Amino acid sequence: MQHAPAARPSPALSARLPRGTTARPLPGTTTVSRHTATRPLCAPADHPRPGTTDHPRPGTTDHPPRGTTARPLPAGVLPPPPSTTIRPSHRTATRPLLAAALAAVLALTASACVGGGRGTEGPVGPVPPTAQSPAVLPSAELPPVLTRGQARAALVGADDLGEAWEPTRGAATWRDELLKATAERPDCRRLLDVLYTEELFGTGAATAPRATAALDDLDGGAQLHYRVTSYRAADLDRTLAWLGRLPDTCGRFEARDAHGTARDVRVTGLTLPEAGDARRGLRVTVGDTAPDDGEDPRTDTGTDTGGGVLTVDLVAVRVGDDAISLTNGTLGAPADDATRISVEVGTDRLTEARRQGRAQV
């Protein structure tokens, strides 16, 4: 291995020194060997790797070259000051480089973090609204409903129907025996459910009736159930439209009860007085299965359910966002007057209750 040549002494200094005296570097100057090893940037600054200590390597001392003999100085000549050469420290030399490398790494890391974080957030500022799927759009707000007191004021009572009527004493037995049945066609099955539960506009809390009344006809054995409901007019009209289709879709069908007994069900339209904003009425008869000869057993009007015919009027009238609904059923002769009076009187009272104001709930 070749060593770096010794630094040449200054001409001015050489002229003043005695012959044979080696010139030393001036104070404040350093000599650095080109063979000085630098520690890799990845090594910790406080723990130099083996072989990178601060001890001078061979050939980097200030002693005169090998084979040169130091001559004694003449009398009266002071020796030159000791060498002030600052030997390079690998640790000192590499610290600036390491600091620069660390700064570069930190800068790259920060830029990567910024690019990865903000790149997914999009531009800062107002974001234009995006179209929502109809499935997630909020439903139309329910309209204000009648108070319980206003709804009760729209009910009909026994005094409105005649002397034979009074508040009910309980559900009629024919409801379970004849109406608790099912059918194959969905619309017909739904009709039977409505006749049995009387929940014409739905089973949810929003469509629950605001007020109800139940009356019995002691002479004819009829039973009338009356309800006042507040809901959206569009939904009420859809129910009325469904009722209007039933004479065509379920004009006649077979129903079976829990014991498998077959029932013959017929549905026809019912003419109603002009009342409210929209109205619809049905007459449903439920009896034993018709014989093969075509004879209709519905001429039997006995009060016994065995072989008898149940006749039920199903009516709904809408006034704005409110509606009245009723069922009037009997095993005897249909009580037509009770249905008509309930529609006329009930609609007038509902209209008056709406004039008195509505409550937001």
Side-chain angles (χ1 to χ4, degrees), residues 96-286:
L97 296 176
L98 180 59
L102 289 177
V105 171
L106 290 176
L108 291 175
T109 304
S111 62
C113 294
V114 172
R118 293 185 179 179
T120 59
E121 295 176 359
V124 178
V127 179
T130 57
Q132 282 185 294
S133 170
V136 299
L137 290 175
S139 59
E141 184 179 355
L142 291 176
V145 299
L146 295 172
T147 65
R148 300 290 183 182
Q150 291 170 340
R152 283 193 296 268
L155 295 174
V156 295
D159 295 340
D160 300 317
L161 302 180
E163 295 181 357
W165 291 85
E166 66 176 19
T168 188
R169 298 179 181 179
T173 57
W174 45 256
R175 290 187 177 275
D176 285 341
E177 295 180 11
L178 295 177
L179 294 181
K180 198 172 183 179
T182 186
E184 292 183 358
R185 282 176 279 180
D187 280 343
C188 304
R189 184 166 57 250
R190 178 184 172 188
L191 173 60
L192 291 175
D193 291 341
V194 168
L195 292 175
Y196 181 73
T197 64
E198 299 184 346
E199 293 175 339
L200 175 60
F201 298 107
T203 59
T207 57
R210 305 294 294 171
T212 62
L215 305 171
D216 289 342
D217 179 5
L218 299 181
D219 293 340
Q223 188 169 77
L224 186 145
H225 287 181
Y226 188 97
R227 293 186 169 201
V228 177
T229 302
S230 296
Y231 203 45
R232 287 183 290 259
D235 294 325
L236 298 175
D237 284 342
R238 276 193 288 269
T239 300
L240 297 181
W242 171 73
L243 290 177
R245 295 191 299 266
L246 289 179
D248 296 328
T249 59
C250 297
R252 184 175 182 180
F253 63 94
E254 184 180 84
R256 290 187 178 273
D257 61 17
H259 302 289
T261 304
R263 302 291 183 185
D264 183 52
V265 183
R266 301 186 185 188
V267 181
T268 58
L270 183 65
T271 301
L272 299 176
E274 293 292 329
D277 299 325
R279 71 210 63 84
R280 189 70 65 179
L282 298 176
R283 173 159 289 180
V284 182
T285 57
V286 182

Side-chain angles (χ1 to χ4, degrees), residues 11 31 35 61 126 202 256 258:
T31 58
H35 299 287
T61 64
R256 290 187 178 273

Side-chain angles (χ1 to χ4, degrees), residues 336-357:
D336 295 335
D337 289 344
T339 299
R340 176 183 55 80
I341 293 174
S342 296
V343 170
E344 292 176 344
V345 173
T347 301
D348 290 343
R349 289 179 179 173
L350 179 60
T351 303
E352 180 62 26
R354 288 172 53 84
R355 289 197 187 101
Q356 296 177 5

